[in-house]
Amino acid sequence: MDFNSWQRLAEQQTFIDRALINGRPHAAQSGETFAVINPATNHLLAHVAACGEADVDAAVKVARHAYDQGPWARMAPRERKAVLLRLAELLLAHREELALLDSLSMGKPVMDAYTIDVPGAAGVFAWYGEALDKLYDEVAPTGRDALATITRVPLGVVAAVVPWNFPLDMAAWKLAPALAAGNSIVLKPAEQSPFSALRLAELAMEAGLPEGVLNVVTGLGEHAGRALGLHPDVDALAFTGSTAVGKLFMQYSAHSNLKQVWLECGGKSPNVVFADCKDLDLAAEKAAFGIFFNQGEVCSANSRLLVERAIHDEFVERLAEKAKAWQPGDPLNPTSRMGAIVNARQTERIVQYIAGAEASSATCVTGGQQLTINGSSNFIQPTIFTGVTADQPLAREEVFGPVLAATAFDSEDEAVALANDHIYGLAASVWSDDLNRAHRVAGRLNAGTVSVNTVDALDVTVPFGGGKQSGFGRDLSLHSFDKYTQLKTTWFQFR
Ligand code: NAD
């Protein structure tokens, strides 16, 4: 579709403005709402129900009832599979609408949402749908006088609290395995981007998901999110978001019912380029993608570039050239590779990091400017700083914007030490055509995913998540069932 067609569709787009509990729209009991603003225009999209403790409690009760009494958990895997596959098809059938809902609310290029996020979410539902009737349980090696089965059983009520950077995908990553396993769910989308989650829940019911199995509470983190974290009848809480809020969820759990907490938090991923990398052009192109895709608002963004000194200047020059292709523009324009930053607050935060780096010994080789497009100033140029030392905020803190911190290194040991000298451990990349070195360095990097000769390798077939203060537990792949099921031993003693 061209720019005009997206603009026309955007003008006609409607927004669900209430929570969804037990299959029905639900206004907050307090009557309160919060405003969702399009960051690319600063126009109001909708006032949405600001759920609080009472609404969260209602949603959890419904989810519990659906789990205890309802058909979902008891349905044969093959039947649950059919529902998830239908949902995957429905997501694709509503591809334009879902892409628009995310683009309009959080500023990403609509074409990214259309070509990556929506098919990605559909693929995740299809994959877990396909997986769930192929999982076998275990029989323990007891004596002949006993039979001990070890089965995976659902947990019951799972809550998911997700961020705004990939609204539909982050919801899908939690919901698909949790639903496949037979749980009931209460989902809280980020207040910046609640619409695709609400539409997803409607489509799930259209696909045949029984009422009450998937409930969506809209609201602010410190009210609705906190209430879910503290709720005594939530069995597990899966969170993606900042490390600061991840730590709160562990406290909420400790102060309530010791619910399981699974955290996917921040990152400051290193991208290590060695001089023996033969295709520096590809490495530069991927390094630009690694930091500028989604406006840099990616938890696993390759925000620290470590380059061997022998190729440092040449590589940075190539990279600065590639950065030109990432100038921000109207998110509805199919030629825009970067869109708007999620809101004015986040834009200001990024601007402060740039100002701090400019005042330091680091050098800005490209970008650094805030731009105004269509009357909104939530746009930032792709920005690269070189000579960033390991102690500077740009190397230490997650900016969550299109700002790269580059540092030169002289030896493999120094590269590994710099890469690992961090509180985060989500992802890392290595570029080298020496297989021995690539393998050795990949083994030494402290990260949940190491991409070799690419960046941000990601697929539903492989686990995603990190260590250290990036969190624990894994999304995607069969391993994510570990988060949404527990092992049950049943011992039959024979006479
Ligand atoms: P955030 O932590 O502010 O918000 C995430 C969610 O938590 C939102 O739904 C929000 O409403 C809720 N929340 C906020 N304050 C809360 C509170 N006091 N109590 C309970 N819930 C609360 O994060 P964000 O700004 O939406 O997203 C950016 C962050 O997410 C970045 O740090 C990024 O690295 C991280 N992230 C991580 C991954 C990953 O998989 N590791 C993926 C995407 C984003």
Side-chain angles (χ1 to χ4, degrees):
M1 277 207 310
D2 61 15
F3 192 9
N4 281 338
S5 311
W6 281 115
Q7 284 175 314
R8 256 199 316 279
L9 268 191
E11 278 159 23
Q12 295 156 9
Q13 185 61 52
T14 56
F15 303 94
I16 306 173
D17 59 4
R18 282 178 289 173
L20 192 92
I21 299 178
N22 211 15
R24 285 184 283 281
H26 173 101
Q29 288 190 22
S30 65
E32 284 176 24
T33 59
F34 61 93
V36 183
I37 310 278
N38 178 349
T41 59
N42 289 328
H43 291 158
L44 175 77
L45 297 174
H47 289 286
V48 178
C51 293
E53 234 174 90
D55 310 290
V56 164
D57 189 50
V60 173
K61 283 203 170 84
V62 162
R64 175 62 62 193
H65 182 80
Y67 181 72
D68 287 345
Q69 310 295 327
W72 183 247
R74 298 189 191 127
M75 231 179 233
R78 197 169 292 173
E79 293 172 50
R80 287 207 299 273
K81 163 183 168 168
V83 173
L84 295 185
L85 292 181
R86 268 200 300 276
L87 174 55
E89 281 169 18
L90 284 172
L91 290 175
L92 289 177
H94 292 82
R95 197 164 162 178
E96 284 91 358
E97 179 190 2
L98 291 163
L100 263 181
L101 291 176
D102 279 356
S103 172
L104 292 174
S105 56
M106 57 65 69
K108 71 169 66 203
V110 73
M111 281 310 285
D112 282 355
Y114 182 79
T115 56
I116 299 170
D117 297 35
V118 183
V124 167
F125 279 104
W127 196 85
Y128 283 101
E130 288 291 357
L132 77 92
D133 65 348
K134 295 164 190 74
L135 295 171
Y136 291 77
D137 288 321
E138 297 169 30
V139 175
T142 57
R144 292 185 61 187
D145 60 345
L147 169 69
T149 61
I150 304 164
T151 48
R152 275 181 186 271
V153 295
L155 296 173
V157 176
V158 170
V161 176
V162 294
W164 45 261
N165 59 344
F166 293 93
L168 185 66
D169 284 8
M170 291 302 104
W173 288 17
K174 311 290 187 207
L175 299 189
L179 286 174
N183 297 286
S184 290
I185 297 181
V186 181
L187 166 69
K188 194 203 88 62
E191 48 271 43
Q192 295 84 351
S193 56
F195 305 122
S196 60
L198 289 162
R199 195 70 185 101
L200 166 68
E202 282 187 349
L203 293 173
M205 287 190 308
E206 196 178 322
L209 192 73
E211 281 171 6
V213 174
L214 171 56
N215 306 279
V216 182
V217 288
T218 48
L220 305 184
E222 53 271 39
H223 301 305
R226 182 171 182 276
L228 271 175
L230 285 169
H231 201 286
D233 204 27
V234 168
D235 297 297
L237 191 139
F239 170 75
T240 293
S242 60
T243 295
V245 175
K247 288 179 180 178
L248 289 179
F249 275 105
M250 297 199 71
Q251 292 181 19
Y252 299 152
S253 169
H255 291 149
S256 56
N257 62 338
L258 221 56
K259 59 178 68 61
Q260 293 182 37
V261 174
W262 300 107
L263 303 179
E264 302 277 5
C265 298
K268 191 80 195 176
S269 300
N271 181 10
V272 186
V273 185
F274 286 98
D276 57 18
C277 164
K278 291 212 176 89
D279 194 345
L280 285 186
D281 202 59
L282 177 68
E285 191 177 313
K286 292 281 187 181
F289 173 87
I291 182 62
F292 303 133
F293 172 62
N294 213 48
Q295 304 74 241
E297 297 163 321
V298 180
C299 54
S300 52
N302 288 239
S303 51
R304 290 187 293 148
L305 174 70
L306 307 175
V307 194
E308 195 162 354
R309 199 174 304 278
I311 55 161
H312 176 273
D313 293 354
E314 181 198 345
F315 189 75
V316 167
E317 207 173 295
R318 281 178 195 261
L319 180 56
E321 196 54 39
K322 302 285 182 197
K324 289 184 186 154
W326 290 89
Q327 294 307 319
D330 188 323
L332 296 181
N333 188 338
T335 62
S336 300
R337 291 191 76 188
M338 278 208 298
I341 302 298
V342 66
N343 55 28
R345 202 168 122 234
Q346 177 66 7
T347 306
E348 182 52 31
R349 226 181 129 241
I350 300 168
V351 167
Q352 288 307 321
Y353 274 108
I354 292 175
E358 269 167 351
S360 76
S361 56
T363 308
C364 183
V365 292
T366 187
Q369 298 300 313
Q370 182 177 6
L371 304 176
T372 300
I373 296 172
N374 296 335
S376 161
S377 301
N378 296 324
F379 294 87
I380 294 190
Q381 287 180 329
T383 301
I384 301 171
F385 281 92
T386 54
V388 180
T389 54
D391 58 337
Q392 289 176 349
L394 211 54
R396 302 237 65 82
E397 294 164 27
E398 186 180 41
V399 177
F400 228 55
V403 185
L404 179 66
T407 305
F409 68 82
D410 292 299
S411 69
E412 190 177 303
D413 282 346
E414 189 193 357
V416 171
L418 280 168
N420 285 342
D421 173 25
H422 221 281
I423 61 163
Y424 295 124
L426 186 56
S429 301
V430 191
W431 292 83
S432 169
D433 273 282
D434 176 345
L435 183 61
N436 295 303
R437 165 177 272 161
H439 185 255
R440 190 168 59 234
V441 172
R444 293 175 72 192
L445 290 175
N446 203 337
T449 298
V450 178
S451 304
V452 180
N453 291 335
T454 186
V455 294
D456 235 344
L458 177 77
D459 191 74
V460 66
T461 56
V462 288
F464 179 88
K468 298 202 260 183
Q469 292 190 39
S470 294
F472 44 82
R474 294 293 183 263
D475 280 327
L476 304 179
S477 82
L478 291 181
H479 294 284
S480 82
F481 281 121
D482 293 345
K483 300 201 296 195
Y484 305 115
T485 58
Q486 59 185 327
L487 294 179
K488 181 168 185 175
T489 297
T490 311
W491 184 287
F492 299 87
Q493 188 65 51
F494 302 126
R495 282 187 292 276

